[in-house]
Amino acid sequence: MRFVSGVVLFAGLLGCSTEHRPVDLILRGGAVYTMNPAQPRAEALAIADGRIVAVGSDEEISAVYASENTIDLEGQMVLPGFVDSHSHAVASGVALAQCDLALLDSVADVLAKVTACGDAQPGTGWLVGGGWNPALFKDANPNKALLDSLGLDRPVALESEDSHSLWVDSRALALAGITRDSTDPSGGVIERDLQTAEASGTLRERTAMNLVQDQVPPISDAVREAGLLRALALAKEFGITSIIEASAGASELAAYDAVDARGELSVRVVVSVQVTDPQATELMRPQDRGTARRVHADAAKIFVDGVLESETAALLEPYLDNPGSTGQLLELTQQLNARVVDLDRRGIQVHLHAIGDRAVRAALDAVAAARIANGALDNRHHIAHLQLVDPADRSRFAELGVVANIQALWAYPDAYITDLNLPQVGQARVDQMYPFASLVRAGTTLAGGSDWSVSSMNPLLAIQTGIMREDPAGVAVGVLNSAERLPLQKMLEAYTTNGAYLMHQENHTGSLEVGKFADIVVLDRDLFDVPVAQISEVHVTRTLLAGGTVYSR
């Protein structure tokens, strides 16, 4: 029985020679792009016990192997499963069931959605959610009065889509005890009315946000696990078979372990444990590294600074609209260095958030301090986001073995950059943003991540944007720094081999080679034959983890 592309061909009992080696699955007739330089292209794969046992032409595979399960791909593209090197899967999956304000493009639409959420979730308990776009509000600073005017008669707390700001109503501020006399917590900002000095309703960075969020009733384990399963469902649709959880505490790690124990974890994951979690030391498991288990907790997350939009990103030169400020480092240099030295010594990979050029330099300095103190260990520290990187620091990534964890979907002139960042930092610094190609030219390894749900989880959207540096939706006009465009090959490396390397999984995943797990994504078209502007329109037709189909379109 033979069906169209991607459907199983039952061949095991139809004349297969008994001399053929039986395997669990054969993929044939595909444009197999292995990401293995020694054998870059193939047509077929043979899979047994979750691993690849052969890679070659249709003729070579059929001469040796037979299976009752043979998928005739009819020219579809086969790649290693995508690696998302920066995703907030648990928290973002939970948020999907809350008041979701993502993708709304006007203040009126946001307020209408909040009202609808209140109607759909009756009661007097907290209304929580997030995903609002800071660029919709003047100075990225929505006011409590907007929420108060909705008459919800309940406390409201809504995170921004970048998770660095919290918009709250007057009831939430009162429950948190925030008044005009409250001082800003270390590393955070309570935005205020310029005339009255009263809290305006926007809180910046986690220490300030937590003043309110600590008052919100805790989320149950069951809700958190359900959120993770929502995230996994999306990941499978996008061909993602491995992720790095960008920032987790005890509860998030417990969700991964619980879902894994039930056999429902459809990705391999490295969990970056937030260093501020009270149990951080006990949660980190350096012994996980390099093993074939699904959940690894051998990494730590450190926020070095905030974001440009709230002017909490740490810059080498002042903000143009606030000449007295260069933002802030969330940890003193000496403290940051000591923390990274200690984690490095213990065999823990450090995952550093850095947006501004001063923060990037501080992160690199901390890794350099670890190198001096501990020698060159194979911990593969990485810095995420890298909106601004001083040219003097670009060569230091390769020198220190630091991976650049990039979010390519941000690298186009959207409203964040044109409406918020441009007045803050000026055209010269905008023209230096997201210097991906410059980092590659300096010898840096790039790994691709989405920062979901800050932006889409879809790797193909990010790959297209990294190549074009233009809005894949065609709404925003122009190109962001055309000299920083990357070729398709480099973007594929970022989402496959380099991501696997960053996870210390290069012996298990990241390329289609004999002995590696059969973590595979099948695309309906060959990306090398598709116009670049149409890459985001290509569909995932099948996702396999350890040779088992976890998604089929």
Side-chain angles (χ1 to χ4, degrees), residues 91-101 113 117 121 127-130 157-159 213 216-217 219 223 230:
S92 298
V94 169
L96 289 178
Q98 297 175 336
C99 189
D100 184 8
L101 306 176
K113 182 62 180 289
C117 289
Q121 303 172 35
L127 180 63
V128 296
L158 305 167
E159 280 201 17
Q213 289 179 322
V216 179
I219 295 170
V223 167
R230 288 187 205 97

Side-chain angles (χ1 to χ4, degrees), residues 330-416:
L330 297 180
E331 295 201 24
L332 298 175
T333 299
Q334 192 171 19
Q335 178 185 350
L336 176 63
N337 290 0
R339 197 191 292 275
V340 174
V341 168
D342 177 62
L343 291 165
D344 180 72
R345 177 185 54 78
R346 291 161 45 203
I348 300 295
Q349 180 184 68
V350 184
H351 182 165
L352 297 132
H353 163 112
I355 290 283
D357 44 14
R358 183 160 62 103
V360 173
R361 180 169 294 175
L364 290 167
D365 288 346
V367 175
R371 178 72 66 93
I372 292 169
N374 304 326
L377 304 178
D378 189 27
N379 288 323
R380 306 180 192 178
H381 306 309
H382 51 125
I383 304 175
H385 308 323
L386 305 166
Q387 189 165 4
L388 289 169
V389 183
D390 191 86
D393 290 319
R394 293 172 186 172
S395 64
R396 299 180 68 199
F397 284 80
E399 292 167 3
L400 294 169
V402 174
V403 175
N405 190 326
I406 66 168
Q407 285 61 62
L409 191 46
W410 302 352
Y412 71 92
D414 65 356
Y416 273 81

Side-chain angles (χ1 to χ4, degrees), residues 155-323:
V156 182
L158 305 167
E159 280 201 17
S160 60
E161 65 180 3
D162 63 9
S163 297
H164 285 265
S165 296
L166 186 71
W167 178 23
V168 300
D169 68 349
S170 294
R171 289 178 182 82
L173 289 169
L175 288 170
I178 298 174
T179 69
R180 63 182 299 168
D181 299 321
S182 299
T183 58
D184 289 349
S186 176
V189 176
I190 301 170
E191 293 285 2
R192 301 172 190 278
D193 182 282
L194 294 178
Q195 278 73 45
T196 66
E198 295 281 356
S200 65
T202 300
L203 307 172
R204 309 288 193 195
E205 301 306 332
R206 193 57 53 185
T207 53
M209 295 162 67
N210 284 346
L211 296 174
V212 166
Q213 289 179 322
D214 285 348
Q215 310 304 314
V216 179
I219 295 170
S220 70
D221 292 343
V223 167
R224 200 170 279 108
E225 290 165 27
L228 175 56
L229 291 173
R230 288 187 205 97
L232 295 177
L234 284 175
K236 290 184 283 190
E237 290 186 25
F238 291 133
I240 296 166
T241 55
S242 293
I243 67 170
I244 295 177
E245 167 60 58
S247 181
S251 299
E252 288 78 15
L253 179 56
Y256 280 107
D257 284 337
V259 171
D260 184 34
R262 296 199 300 265
E264 298 175 349
L265 188 64
S266 55
V267 295
R268 307 182 195 282
V269 59
V270 168
V271 176
S272 303
V273 176
Q274 175 55 251
V275 294
T276 56
D277 187 282
Q279 304 174 56
T281 299
E282 293 75 26
L283 295 174
M284 296 175 197
R285 307 187 301 235
Q287 66 272 19
D288 289 351
R289 178 166 300 165
T291 67
R293 63 176 296 170
R294 290 276 172 94
V295 181
H296 293 188
D298 57 345
K301 176 63 176 292
I302 298 175
F303 286 87
V304 183
D305 68 345
V307 293
L308 280 177
E309 292 73 43
S310 57
E311 301 196 352
T312 54
L315 304 180
L316 292 171
E317 298 295 331
Y319 286 91
L320 297 183
D321 58 350
N322 188 5

Side-chain angles (χ1 to χ4, degrees), residues 485-506:
R485 286 170 165 161
L486 290 170
L488 174 58
Q489 172 67 23
K490 287 296 180 185
M491 287 304 303
L492 289 177
E493 289 173 5
Y495 269 96
T496 56
T497 52
N498 293 355
Y501 168 81
L502 183 56
M503 294 178 70
H504 288 86
Q505 288 283 291
E506 71 274 16

